[in-house]
């Protein structure tokens, strides 16, 4: 079990610990000051801590090896855990919106401004650290080349290609950092202007942000639970690996299904003419083993065919060739 936990998503594990500390600190500050925005961010941090701990265990379980009863493995288990986490986020969003609406209708002053500001600054620093960690994890998982501020751009660009737990941490802590900043502004402005309704508005906006996160994560992980095709960039990478073998001339069929954070590859490849069955088998296993060197690929099922001299891959090339042929026929 310990070995399995070591394989869990690191970003979600770190985020769970960080948000547990924040939830305790914010809870104390909310109880002392009576701030609605502080209460909202307390719920948010508590929900994040619970979700990310839950998803960490889910990501570890998804690494369990296939069994006779479950020959396809446990890759999609992590999507199920994330969906449960989405339900928790939705409940917290409802409670936060409800609290914000009540504060708008009946604004209340808060005490201990210095305490509230200190906690919010701590939240921004901790959530910001976790967010940066998630961004680096996205860059690592998607094999992007970025350093410095380039990590921010690449993480937003490629977040859809990251593992489900990493996406959860990224979105939740993006909202957490934004929400803490919003809460800080609301608390300061409410105290300076006496317009305590701003506390309620800030709380309401944090709740709405939670709804957005819940909706986006829910859609993405439902697709993953059903079974979704690999993104084109992954498909191209796998196809290039197959075609890089000197004895492979074409790919007849290629089907790549995402299983949690791993990919299941099914393919028929075309070989040069003249190979014996034994030689063809050797080539097939050689290509399969080369694909399995990719840590993102969980398993490979592959069939072999002798070339039919009709180019099938890449797909774009086929479309362009067909387009030129149609144009030629029309000209004639």
């Amino acid at each position: 079990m310990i070995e399995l936990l070591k394989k869990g998503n690191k970003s979600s594990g770190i985020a769970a610990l960080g948000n547990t500390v924040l939830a305790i600190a914010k809870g104390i500050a909310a109880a002392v000051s009576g701030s609605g925005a502080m209460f909202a961010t307390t719920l948010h941090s508590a929900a994040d801590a619970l979700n990310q701990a839950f998803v960490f265990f889910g990501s570890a379980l998804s690494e369990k090896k296939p069994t006779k009863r479950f020959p396809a493995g446990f890759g999609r288990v992590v999507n199920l855990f994330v969906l449960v986490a989405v339900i928790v986020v939705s409940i917290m969003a409802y409670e936060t919106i409800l609290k914000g609406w009540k504060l708008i209708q009946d604004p209340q002053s808060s005490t201990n401004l210095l305490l509230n500001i200190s906690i919010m600054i701590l939240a921004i620093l901790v959530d910001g650290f976790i967010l940066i960690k998630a961004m680096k994890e996205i860059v690592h998982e998607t094999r992007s080349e970025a350093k410095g501020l380039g990590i921010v751009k690449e993480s937003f660009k490629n977040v859809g290609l990251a593992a489900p737990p990493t996406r959860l941490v990224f979105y939740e802590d993006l909202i957490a950092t934004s929400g803490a900043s919003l809460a800080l502004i609301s608390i300061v402005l409410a105290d300076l202007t006496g317009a305590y309704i701003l506390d309620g508005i800030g709380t309401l906006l944090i709740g709405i942000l939670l709804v957005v996160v819940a909706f986006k994560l829910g859609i993405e992980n439902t697709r993953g639970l059903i079974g979704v095709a690999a993104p084109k960039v992954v498909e191209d990478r796998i196809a290039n690996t197959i075609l890089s073998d000197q004895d492979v001339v074409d790919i007849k069929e290629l089907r790549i299904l995402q299983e949690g954070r791993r990919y299941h590859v099914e393919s028929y490849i075309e070989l040069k003419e003249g190979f014996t069955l034994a030689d063809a088998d050797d080539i097939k296993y050689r290509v399969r083993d080369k694909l399995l060197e990719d840590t993102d690929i969980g398993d490979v099922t592959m069939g072999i065919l002798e070339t039919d001299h009709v180019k099938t891959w890449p797909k774009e090339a086929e479309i362009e060739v067909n387009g030129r042929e149609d144009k030629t026929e029309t000209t004639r």
Side-chain angles (χ1 to χ4, degrees), residues 118-258:
S118 300
I119 294 296
M120 285 297 100
I121 292 173
L122 175 65
I124 292 169
L125 291 175
V126 173
D127 284 326
F129 170 78
I130 295 170
L131 179 59
I132 292 170
K133 175 68 178 174
M135 287 180 174
K136 290 180 178 179
E137 194 76 16
I138 290 169
V139 169
H140 173 72
E141 289 178 359
T142 58
R143 306 181 185 190
S144 305
E145 294 182 3
K147 293 181 180 180
L149 292 177
I151 291 174
V152 178
K153 180 183 176 182
E154 288 299 314
S155 62
F156 275 93
K157 179 182 175 183
N158 297 314
V159 62
L161 302 176
T166 307
R167 288 203 303 267
L168 176 75
V169 173
F170 174 80
Y171 285 126
E172 284 199 339
D173 279 278
L174 179 63
I175 298 302
T177 307
S178 305
S181 302
L182 186 60
L184 178 61
I185 294 169
S186 300
I187 290 168
V188 172
L189 287 179
D191 187 78
L192 292 176
T193 63
Y196 296 110
I197 192 174
L198 292 174
D199 192 14
I201 293 172
T203 304
L204 188 67
L205 289 175
I206 292 169
I208 292 171
L209 289 174
L210 284 172
V211 171
V212 173
V213 168
F215 181 77
K216 185 168 182 60
L217 287 173
I219 292 293
E220 289 182 355
N221 282 279
T222 299
R223 289 172 181 164
L225 196 60
I226 295 170
V228 64
K232 188 178 184 303
V233 64
V234 175
E235 182 182 64
D236 289 342
R237 188 176 81 218
I238 291 173
N240 289 337
T241 301
I242 294 172
L243 292 172
S244 67
D245 190 282
Q246 60 183 2
D247 294 318
V248 177
V249 296
D250 198 10
I251 299 173
K252 188 69 173 178
E253 292 181 16
L254 181 59
R255 179 175 176 266
I256 309 169
L257 189 68
Q258 188 168 358

Side-chain angles (χ1 to χ4, degrees), residues 59-75:
S59 66
L61 285 174
S62 70
E63 294 297 316
K64 189 176 179 182
K65 293 181 179 180
T67 63
K68 287 184 178 180
R69 188 175 181 185
F70 301 101
F74 299 85

Side-chain angles (χ1 to χ4, degrees), residues 6-184:
K6 287 180 180 179
K7 298 179 182 179
N9 184 267
K10 293 180 181 178
S11 292
S12 57
I14 293 171
L17 293 174
N19 279 296
T20 299
V21 173
L22 279 180
I24 294 170
K26 289 178 181 179
I28 294 170
V32 172
S33 67
S35 168
M38 183 66 73
F39 172 78
T41 58
T42 301
L43 287 181
H44 190 182
S45 293
D48 284 353
L50 178 63
N51 287 345
Q52 288 155 355
F54 197 60
V55 170
F56 172 75
F57 287 109
S59 66
L61 285 174
S62 70
E63 294 297 316
K64 189 176 179 182
K65 293 181 179 180
T67 63
K68 287 184 178 180
R69 188 175 181 185
F70 301 101
F74 299 85
R76 298 188 200 184
V77 167
V78 69
N79 295 104
L80 181 61
F81 274 73
V82 173
L83 279 177
V84 175
V86 166
I87 295 172
V88 176
V89 173
S90 301
I91 293 170
M92 293 302 173
Y94 169 76
E95 293 293 336
T96 304
I97 290 171
L98 193 63
K99 178 70 174 179
W101 182 246
K102 287 180 179 178
L103 287 172
I104 289 173
Q105 291 181 314
D106 182 24
Q108 297 175 2
S109 61
S110 60
T111 59
N112 288 298
L113 177 64
L114 185 60
L115 175 62
N116 286 340
I117 292 175
S118 300
I119 294 296
M120 285 297 100
I121 292 173
L122 175 65
I124 292 169
L125 291 175
V126 173
D127 284 326
F129 170 78
I130 295 170
L131 179 59
I132 292 170
K133 175 68 178 174
M135 287 180 174
K136 290 180 178 179
E137 194 76 16
I138 290 169
V139 169
H140 173 72
E141 289 178 359
T142 58
R143 306 181 185 190
S144 305
E145 294 182 3
K147 293 181 180 180
L149 292 177
I151 291 174
V152 178
K153 180 183 176 182
E154 288 299 314
S155 62
F156 275 93
K157 179 182 175 183
N158 297 314
V159 62
L161 302 176
T166 307
R167 288 203 303 267
L168 176 75
V169 173
F170 174 80
Y171 285 126
E172 284 199 339
D173 279 278
L174 179 63
I175 298 302
T177 307
S178 305
S181 302
L182 186 60
L184 178 61

